[in-house]
Amino acid sequence: MEETIIPVTEQKQYPQTPKHIFILSGQSNMAGRGGVHRHHWDGVVPLDSQPHASIIRLSAKLHWEPAREPLHHDIDVRKACGVGPGMSFANAVKDHLGGGGECLGLVPCAVGGTAIKEWERGQHLYDNMLKRSKESVEKTKGEIKALLWYQGESDTPSYHTAEAYKENMERLIHNVREDLGLPSLPIIQVAIASGDERYMEKVREAQLGIDLPNVICVDAKGLALKEDNLHLTTEAQVKLGHMLADAFLTHFNAPPSQSSPCSAPKTG
């Protein structure tokens, strides 16, 4: 597989805005730890995760800019970020949205080491995700197409948190939809592949057992883990991105319409 090393550089405000928007949220495996070793990212970007002119991201400063790995470098700032599933997902779906070739926006919100209770309405993480999601459609013609959610490892050490996970996740889904005014917002969650063995299966059971309209679960079990036995490898993250893309295209992608390029921001 062809790979390149791409430095993360400061980007100015991008002149284009997206038509199709995806929220990326959860904890470290969504933020991406692929290629991170001893607190440093190796800079290797697989072919499927390369930047593309039609894929942009919302920065921590709420500016649109070209999307590139690591997508969460200015969001999940307490740890080194590497390759996650977002770019391979975006590259896999970009030609199937609308008529193809339309601008796609990613809104990274994931923060490593966070439990589901930290994403309750009124908590900083939830409020920041909501703010960023609303900003992503402000003064644009964009539409939030889905929330991609990968979280739960931090809820595996305790029976209490594992037992409460399903109720807490269903509440999160309800709150996000209500607060964004999108009652049918597609949610694609990932069933965890790692965590504390004591209650990992209980959290997975909760994730796989959620039965709500427009909620799909993609199972990460079996994907390769790094030596820490917690985080997905770079190759596994790329594969997960494709799994998320397949789920979105199978269950939520509308019939194609006439293609249009990235749109300029609305004025006035």
Side-chain angles (χ1 to χ4, degrees):
M1 178 181 292
E2 182 181 349
E3 298 178 334
T4 60
I5 295 180
I6 299 178
V8 177
T9 57
E10 184 69 23
Q11 300 286 346
K12 296 181 180 180
Q13 172 64 47
Y14 202 57
Q16 311 294 350
T17 58
K19 185 170 184 179
H20 310 278
I21 299 169
F22 296 89
I23 307 165
L24 312 176
S25 199
Q27 54 181 115
S28 57
N29 272 317
M30 178 59 80
R33 297 291 189 264
V36 174
H37 305 282
R38 296 183 179 180
H39 312 296
H40 295 283
W41 178 47
D42 61 16
V44 176
V45 180
L47 181 63
D48 289 356
S49 301
Q50 292 289 320
H52 189 275
S54 67
I55 305 173
I56 60 179
R57 73 182 282 274
L58 191 68
S59 73
K61 295 182 179 180
L62 304 178
H63 295 155
W64 288 110
E65 62 185 25
R68 61 180 66 237
E69 297 286 9
L71 282 174
H72 282 77
H73 71 92
D74 58 349
I75 302 296
D76 188 13
V77 297
R78 295 180 296 180
K79 296 287 182 69
C81 291
V83 174
M87 285 302 295
S88 61
F89 166 84
N91 275 307
V93 302
K94 63 181 172 57
D95 293 331
H96 302 280
L97 299 171
E102 297 176 341
C103 200
L104 182 157
L106 300 174
V107 183
C109 300
V111 177
T114 55
I116 189 73
K117 294 286 285 185
E118 296 178 75
W119 293 91
E120 286 185 341
R121 178 187 271 161
Q123 296 292 322
H124 170 73
L125 292 174
Y126 178 87
D127 290 348
N128 189 55
M129 177 176 66
L130 198 67
K131 175 184 177 181
R132 291 175 56 73
S133 300
K134 290 181 176 180
E135 184 68 23
S136 73
V137 296
E138 186 71 19
K139 295 184 178 179
T140 77
K141 298 177 181 178
E143 176 186 355
I144 297 176
K145 293 291 188 177
L147 164 63
L148 310 186
W149 178 265
Y150 189 169
Q151 186 277 334
E153 296 94 339
S154 290
D155 292 280
T156 59
S158 159
Y159 176 83
H160 173 73
T161 55
E163 176 70 17
Y165 192 88
K166 186 171 186 286
E167 179 181 353
N168 287 330
M169 185 63 202
E170 289 176 344
R171 183 183 303 113
L172 172 67
I173 292 169
H174 170 80
N175 289 344
V176 168
R177 287 172 165 173
E178 182 175 73
D179 291 342
L180 291 178
L182 300 171
S184 300
L185 175 68
I187 311 287
I188 307 177
Q189 63 164 344
V190 180
I192 58 174
S194 59
D196 192 309
E197 292 184 357
R198 288 176 292 179
Y199 301 111
M200 185 178 78
E201 287 303 322
K202 193 163 191 64
V203 171
R204 283 177 44 78
E205 180 183 327
Q207 293 170 326
L208 293 165
I210 291 177
D211 184 19
L212 294 174
N214 284 357
V215 177
I216 298 297
C217 190
V218 168
D219 196 348
K221 190 172 185 179
L223 293 178
L225 299 175
K226 294 166 54 180
E227 60 276 6
D228 62 8
N229 205 37
L230 178 63
H231 297 109
L232 299 183
T233 65
T234 295
E235 294 76 14
Q237 287 284 17
V238 172
K239 184 174 182 179
L240 177 61
H242 283 283
M243 292 165 63
L244 290 165
D246 288 344
F248 175 76
L249 294 174
T250 299
H251 297 281
F252 302 121
N253 195 35
S257 58
Q258 184 176 358
S259 176
S260 63
C262 292
S263 58
K266 291 187 289 186
T267 59

